[in-house]
Structure formats: C-alpha cells, structure tokens
Amino acid sequence: NISSPNTKNLRQLQGESELDDLLGRLKAAQTRLAEQHGRYVPLTLKIAPDLDDAQVSNIADALRRHRIDAVIATNTTIARDGVQGSAHGNEQGGLSGAPVFEASTAVVRKLAAALAGELPIIAAGGVLEGAQARAKLEAGAALVQLYSGLIYRGPALVRECVRATAG
C-alpha cells in the first residue's frame, strides 16, 4: 500500500523512479522467498485515486515491467469535493466511502485500458450497493473489494453485490 494519505510522504512512492526502485526490490524479495520456502505468494500494489493520466500510465508500465501479480485501485482520497460544507469536511487524512467512488472507478477504467488485461485489477472504493460493484467490473476490474460499504450496509451488501454481478 503506497497510497495511504495518513502516512507522511508515502504517496511519493507512486512517483516513477521511486516506484520502479520499490517494485524492483519487492519483486527480488518475493523471488528469493519463493525459492527459500518453495511457495510463491502473489504481490499486489494498492494505489491512490488522486492520480492523473500520466501517473496511471507510469504505474501500469511499472506493474508490467516488474511482473506484479495484481493492482488494487484504489485507497482513500485526499480530495474533499464530495464533503464540502459538511461538519467535518475539512479534516485531514483519507476519505473513504461514497465520495471516492467516481475517482476510484475512473482509475480502474484508466488502468484497464493501460494494462489491456495483462494483470488483474482489484477495485476498491465507495461500493455501497450492488450496482456500484457491477460498475467496477464494467470499468475493467476482475474483483471488487468491500470496506466502508460493509460498515454502513453490513453483510447483506455482499449478497447484493453477488446478485448484481452474477452472469
């Protein structure tokens, strides 16, 4: 997870040279550990929703270059567009739930185009109903991860998402 806005300077690892170095080191460690223990453990990278097109493209290139197993798009947002005027709308840190849905889905769509199916995208961010899970898959995700929606909706959300995405 190189995308947490709550860890100082962590998002800088999404920069082109920083990311290339990090993924190279992680992939080397993954290979070494697989040989040592006779067991390959997949490696995924979790990215932010607050990325421009060039950043998404650079990340996609790095994921392919280092043969990373999957990407999780996305973590929380630092944008406050969806909560302006709210009582706590100006607080610092990552914002999850409904306000991140559109931005995270846009990143999924951009990644899907850039990666052309070369590795799976795990979509996360703002899924509060089954139709939103379906939208993540339609944007190019292979899997959908639920977080905040489980807090607000409970386990019934899982059943709703399965029904909305079946077939």
Side-chain angles (χ1 to χ4, degrees):
N1 180 2
I2 58 168
S3 57
S4 173
N6 302 326
T7 304
K8 186 177 177 162
N9 300 324
L10 182 66
R11 284 190 171 196
Q12 290 177 357
L13 292 174
Q14 294 176 127
E16 192 171 358
S17 63
E18 295 91 343
L19 182 59
D20 203 51
D21 180 58
L22 175 66
L23 293 182
R25 291 172 185 249
L26 288 172
K27 196 64 181 182
Q30 179 192 41
T31 300
R32 185 184 74 252
L33 290 167
E35 290 170 0
Q36 180 181 351
H37 297 286
R39 181 172 169 240
Y40 182 86
V41 176
L43 183 62
T44 63
L45 180 74
K46 189 172 194 178
I47 62 172
D50 311 304
L51 301 168
D52 62 33
D53 292 353
Q55 290 171 309
V56 172
S57 179
N58 289 337
I59 288 169
D61 290 344
L63 292 166
R64 272 196 303 274
R65 188 169 46 255
H66 294 284
R67 298 180 336 272
I68 302 303
D69 299 294
V71 59
I72 303 170
T74 67
N75 201 342
T76 57
T77 184
I78 56 174
R80 292 296 185 262
D81 302 341
V83 295
Q84 288 178 334
S86 297
H88 301 286
N90 292 326
E91 290 182 358
Q92 297 295 311
L95 184 62
S96 63
V100 77
F101 176 78
E102 292 298 331
S104 69
T105 305
V107 170
V108 169
R109 192 172 294 108
K110 292 172 190 174
L111 271 176
L115 292 170
E118 292 181 52
L119 61 122
I121 299 168
I122 303 166
V127 177
L128 301 170
E129 60 185 47
Q132 291 174 314
R134 187 177 60 250
K136 297 287 190 189
L137 296 177
E138 289 170 352
L143 298 167
V144 177
Q145 198 172 49
L146 304 175
Y147 282 103
S148 298
L150 286 175
I151 304 278
Y152 294 108
R153 299 277 318 279
L157 176 61
V158 175
R159 183 175 25 259
E160 182 180 325
C161 289
V162 168
R163 286 181 179 147
T165 60

